[in-house]
Amino acid sequence: MDLSGKHIVIGITGGIAAYKSASLVRLFVKAGAEVQVVMTPNAKEFITPVTLSTLSGKPVISEFFTANTGEWHSHVDLGLWADAFVVAPATASTIAKMANGVADNMLVTSYLSTRAQVFVAPAMDFDMMRHPSTVRNIATLISDGCRIIEPAEGELASHLIGKGRMEEPETIFKAVATFINQTEEINNNSPEDISRSSGELAGKHILVTAGPTRERLDPVRYISNYSTGKMGVAIADEAARRGAETVTLVLGPCEVSPSEDRVNVVDVESGREMLSACLDRFDECDVAIMCAAVADYTVETPSETKIKRENADIPEFRLVKNPDIAATLGKRKAQNQILVGFALETDHEFENATAKMKRKNLDMIVLNSLRDKGAGFATDTNKVTVFTADGDETAFDLKEKIAVAADIWDLIAAKYKCSKS
Ligand code: PMT
């Protein structure tokens, strides 16, 4: 990939994987990019600045001042110079500082000043990787717009086996180079819309359903479920952050709301209302993600007045099936549209999820099981396995819902380039 004229900041922090950063620098230089290495003081214990400055052809920056000359290194200039800002390896400590704005070294200070896309390649022991504080900090970085290059599983510096090995330099290089090339393509196509088009969803119209539905028994009572809307709202927010042209969130009654201004919320109450809101918008959308927990049954004839406890008879309601929104859209789906469903299961997860995907004519289904602690309804976390209609299966660890949303969009982007056309 040609990166001639591109400016890459590579931030290196103090971990064993720092030795791999030499290859990363080399890959960018070979592709024609100008590379500026910034190291935290601890990183110098793991790889020498001389190696990195030789490979990059530029003196490494580590301190705010050069000690002997008193020369001041401007973190603001560096941040603005960058077309991409890559932190690899990113230790738990640097991730925590980035997530909390602790600007006590040149790397984090430059990070806070940059307007470039930031890529973070974590590397640490697997217990540190799955510690709730690291999970939280990574979720914060994602919601701040960083792209996380997930670490791989394998033997770690501690000799323990698990997830925490920094991804290989080739993989990190490819993620960054692909992003730069895509952004360039998009900017060439629509120069007037540069600020909104810095992601793979530029120009795309996204429809997401989220939350529960309420099926009325009478004006004060209803049938519903435990969905909080958190998972679907995270998916809609992430689509907006990735530059989607429009994001419509059809949202059942819940407390949460999107944090991205560009998400257009359509409030609905019942399954039928949700269907009608989706049908109004489906034909124009490129990707629809059905995350709502739609009540499977609704009340055939709800009472128009409050049912009184004093009545002699115990009321009886006949339930009828609610429309299946995902299946309805699946029948209507055009060749170039992508339809993604969720499956919330308690048993026979694989069979049930894949059967739902087929029955509803979905391109992808995201399975979450109530048997996994921290997954499904009402938690801030989820653990999902994603199946595609052509037989791929990708399992993810338990993560913050915001990070799960990023994984889902990454898969959609990788699989379909966001559009089947
Ligand atoms: O909202 P949270 O508290 O964050 O919880 C998230 C979640 C658990 C609700 C979410 O991750 C999830 O699993 N959503 C789907 C829940 C569900 O209804 O699953 P299901 O297996 O019953 O339905 C399968 C698919 O068909 C889903 O895409 C669902 O949106 C859709 N469906 C179901 C019934 C129906 N009448 N119409 C539909 O469109």
Side-chain angles (χ1 to χ4, degrees):
M1 285 189 229
D2 180 23
L3 295 182
S4 304
K6 296 297 172 199
H7 297 164
I8 313 292
V9 170
I10 299 189
I12 303 178
T13 72
I16 291 288
Y19 78 91
K20 292 189 189 172
S21 306
S23 308
L24 187 61
V25 171
R26 181 98 188 91
L27 286 168
F28 280 110
V29 170
K30 263 177 79 180
E34 265 188 69
V35 175
Q36 177 63 61
V37 174
V38 186
M39 299 175 85
T40 61
N42 279 342
K44 291 192 272 184
E45 304 290 333
F46 293 88
I47 183 168
T48 73
V50 176
T51 307
L52 296 161
S53 61
T54 307
L55 290 171
S56 65
K58 282 180 193 295
V60 165
I61 299 175
S62 181
E63 312 294 339
F64 291 104
F65 294 95
T66 304
N68 52 353
T69 61
E71 185 196 350
W72 156 252
H73 302 295
S74 168
H75 52 86
V76 176
D77 288 351
L78 187 58
L80 295 179
W81 176 83
D83 292 305
F85 195 109
V86 186
V87 186
T91 56
S93 161
T94 292
I95 288 172
K97 286 181 185 179
M98 289 167 72
N100 293 287
V102 180
D104 67 349
N105 63 39
M106 187 65 187
L107 197 165
V108 180
T109 314
S110 305
Y111 160 70
L112 293 178
S113 309
T114 196
R115 293 183 194 165
Q117 178 63 54
V118 178
F119 295 82
V120 178
M124 64 194 79
D125 180 63
F126 81 100
D127 284 318
M128 294 171 78
M129 187 72 210
R130 66 185 185 176
H131 191 279
S133 69
T134 309
V135 172
R136 246 189 342 265
N137 289 332
I138 289 180
T140 303
L141 291 186
I142 293 171
S143 86
D144 291 345
C146 297
R147 304 240 173 150
I148 306 298
I149 301 174
E150 290 281 336
E153 294 207 11
E155 187 176 350
L156 304 168
S158 58
H159 301 298
L160 295 170
I161 309 279
K163 186 172 170 178
R165 280 164 67 100
M166 185 177 91
E167 246 315 345
E168 292 307 318
E170 291 74 15
T171 309
I172 300 172
F173 169 77
K174 200 167 158 214
V176 178
T178 305
F179 167 81
I180 290 176
N181 286 338
Q182 276 176 354
T183 308
E184 185 129 292
E185 229 170 72
I186 290 158
N187 290 347
N188 288 343
N189 288 344
S190 53
E192 72 288 354
D193 200 19
I194 287 168
S195 63
R196 276 208 285 144
S197 60
S198 61
E200 70 263 12
L201 293 182
K204 300 294 177 197
H205 299 277
I206 310 299
L207 175 66
V208 181
T209 66
T213 64
R214 283 182 188 168
E215 312 300 329
R216 285 187 187 208
L217 296 164
D218 73 4
V220 298
R221 303 177 181 93
Y222 54 84
I223 299 171
S224 191
N225 57 60
Y226 296 109
S227 171
T228 58
K230 286 180 185 174
M231 187 67 251
V233 167
I235 289 170
D237 273 339
E238 185 61 16
R241 280 194 290 274
R242 290 181 185 220
E245 181 72 26
T246 62
V247 182
T248 304
L249 175 65
V250 179
L251 186 60
C254 56
E255 300 293 315
V256 294
S257 54
S259 44
E260 299 295 324
D261 292 344
R262 293 186 39 248
V263 176
N264 172 36
V265 180
V266 179
D267 289 309
V268 295
E269 183 174 308
S270 66
R272 285 179 187 149
E273 283 175 27
M274 188 171 272
L275 173 67
S276 149
C278 288
L279 284 174
D280 284 349
R281 291 154 181 92
F282 182 65
D283 291 346
E284 281 68 50
C285 85
D286 298 289
V287 185
I289 303 189
M290 306 283 101
C291 186
V294 185
D296 283 315
Y297 298 96
T298 189
V299 181
E300 188 174 47
T301 320
S303 169
E304 284 183 6
T305 53
K306 184 180 173 191
I307 301 158
K308 301 284 184 309
R309 186 181 157 78
E310 295 75 26
N311 289 355
D313 296 334
I314 305 279
E316 284 186 10
F317 291 97
R318 191 178 133 75
L319 297 181
V320 289
K321 278 192 177 164
N322 239 342
D324 189 324
I325 302 168
T328 309
L329 301 186
K331 283 197 189 112
R332 198 180 167 115
K333 186 175 64 158
Q335 188 57 34
N336 60 350
Q337 288 181 301
I338 298 164
L339 182 59
V340 180
F342 269 70
L344 179 65
E345 304 298 339
T346 55
D347 58 276
H348 299 91
E349 285 84 350
F350 171 80
E351 293 83 353
N352 289 339
T354 50
K356 275 178 192 170
M357 173 164 61
K358 206 162 171 204
R359 195 167 63 242
K360 299 181 190 224
N361 193 25
L362 308 173
D363 298 288
M364 200 179 247
I365 196 153
V366 182
L367 162 69
N368 39 190
S369 171
L370 291 184
R371 283 206 279 195
D372 289 320
K373 196 163 168 271
F377 284 135
T379 54
D380 287 331
T381 51
N382 206 356
K383 182 171 187 302
V384 303
T385 303
V386 182
F387 301 94
T388 63
D390 55 6
D392 288 352
E393 175 179 339
T394 314
F396 293 95
D397 294 335
L398 184 75
K399 296 179 183 189
E400 297 280 318
K401 281 182 172 162
I402 202 159
V404 174
D407 286 339
I408 293 169
W409 281 117
D410 280 349
L411 275 185
I412 295 173
K415 181 94 192 152
Y416 303 110
K417 308 268 173 280
C418 298
S419 160
K420 290 193 281 177
S421 57

